[in-house]
Amino acid sequence: MTDFLTELAADPVIAVVRAPSIPDAAALCAALVAGGIRWVEFTCTTDGVTAHLARAAAARTGCRLGLGTVLTESQARDGLGAGAEFLVTPGCRAEVARAAGAAPVVMGALTPTEVAAAVELGAAAVKIFPARAFGPGYFKDLRGPYPATPLVASGGVSAQNAGSFLAAGALAVCAGSEVVAPDLVAAGEWGELTRRARAFRGALEQTRARPARVGGAPGGGRVRSSRGRRPR
C-alpha cells in the first residue's frame, strides 16, 4: 500500500470518468496523460465498464487505472480481472474490502464515524465525498483525530479549489466533469480533454506554489497507510 500512496501523493489528481458511453477508452486515457493526469477512475455507472477497463489496460497508455462506484464483491472482482489497479467505493463496503485482496481500496466516507469505519475495513485511503459539503477546512479538522489516515477529496473539486484541499491535508483530489465532461467523452473530443486536463494541472500547480490559506499537513508529505490502524 505504501507504494500506491507515495505515487498518488506525488501525482495527486484522479480523473473520474462518469460517462454514459466511452467510444475509445484507450484514446481517453492517452488524452488525459497528454494533459498531465495519469490516474484514471472508470465507474460502474458506465455500461460495459469492464470492457473499457480491459481495452485501456491493454493499450498501456501510462495511466494508473481504477474502478469506482464499486458496491459489490462481483464488481470488485470483475474490475480487478479487467485490469483495475485500485478500487473506489462511494461508501463503506465490507464486501468490496474482502474482494480486493492486496489491491488498494479508496473507500468513501463523510463523517468522522464513517472515516473510522473505512479505516477498520482496511481502506488504503478514505475518499471524503462530497468534499463540497464542508470545503477544505473540513480536511484540516479531520487531520486532528486521523493524522495518519490518507484522505482524498472528491465531489465539487475544481481547478480553483483543488490546491486548497491539498494544503488542508488531502493526499489527492478527484477531477470530475470539469475535466472529463460526459458529453465530451461520449463525442470523443480527446483534444479538448487534453486541454482541460492541462488547465486543471496548471491551475493546481500555481495554487500549490502560493502560501496556503488553509492550514494543515500538505498532501505531498510523508505518507502512511491507514490499513490496520485504529483511530483514537
Side-chain angles (χ1 to χ4, degrees):
M1 296 298 171
T2 301
D3 289 345
F4 168 78
L5 295 171
T6 300
E7 291 173 20
L8 183 57
D11 199 3
V13 181
I14 303 172
V16 181
V17 184
R18 194 175 297 281
S21 64
I22 302 173
D24 188 335
L28 167 60
C29 289
L32 292 171
V33 169
I37 295 180
R38 297 173 181 83
W39 295 83
V40 179
E41 175 193 332
F42 292 94
T43 63
C44 289
T45 54
T46 298
D47 290 340
V49 66
T50 53
H52 295 309
L53 262 174
R55 292 188 191 103
R60 299 184 181 276
T61 61
C63 277
R64 300 296 300 274
L65 298 171
L67 180 64
T69 321
V70 180
L71 297 173
T72 67
E73 181 177 341
S74 62
Q75 288 175 332
R77 293 189 186 280
D78 289 347
L80 293 172
E85 300 175 68
F86 62 98
L87 302 173
V88 185
T89 70
C92 295
R93 308 295 297 182
E95 59 268 52
V96 174
R98 288 193 299 268
V105 179
V106 180
M107 197 165 289
L110 181 60
T111 68
T113 299
E114 291 169 349
V115 172
V119 170
E120 291 291 335
L121 288 172
V126 180
K127 179 184 75 173
I128 303 301
F129 175 83
R132 69 163 62 88
F134 299 110
Y138 187 52
F139 285 73
K140 180 184 177 183
D141 293 338
L142 287 174
R143 300 310 300 171
Y146 302 107
T149 300
L151 304 175
V152 176
S154 179
V157 178
S158 67
Q160 289 68 42
N161 65 21
S164 295
F165 281 108
L166 295 176
L171 174 76
V173 297
C174 293
S177 58
E178 180 175 341
V179 174
V180 279
D183 58 333
L184 295 177
V185 173
E189 295 286 350
W190 312 131
E192 176 61 15
L193 263 61
T194 294
R195 187 195 68 78
R196 290 184 176 214
R198 187 175 292 122
F200 188 97
R201 282 305 304 254
L204 173 59
E205 295 306 326
Q206 287 182 4
T207 304
R208 294 178 81 184
R210 301 188 196 115
R213 293 184 180 180
V214 183
R222 184 181 177 186
V223 177
R224 289 178 286 174
S225 171
S226 63
R227 182 174 287 273
R229 294 182 62 88
R230 292 177 177 268
R232 297 184 178 185

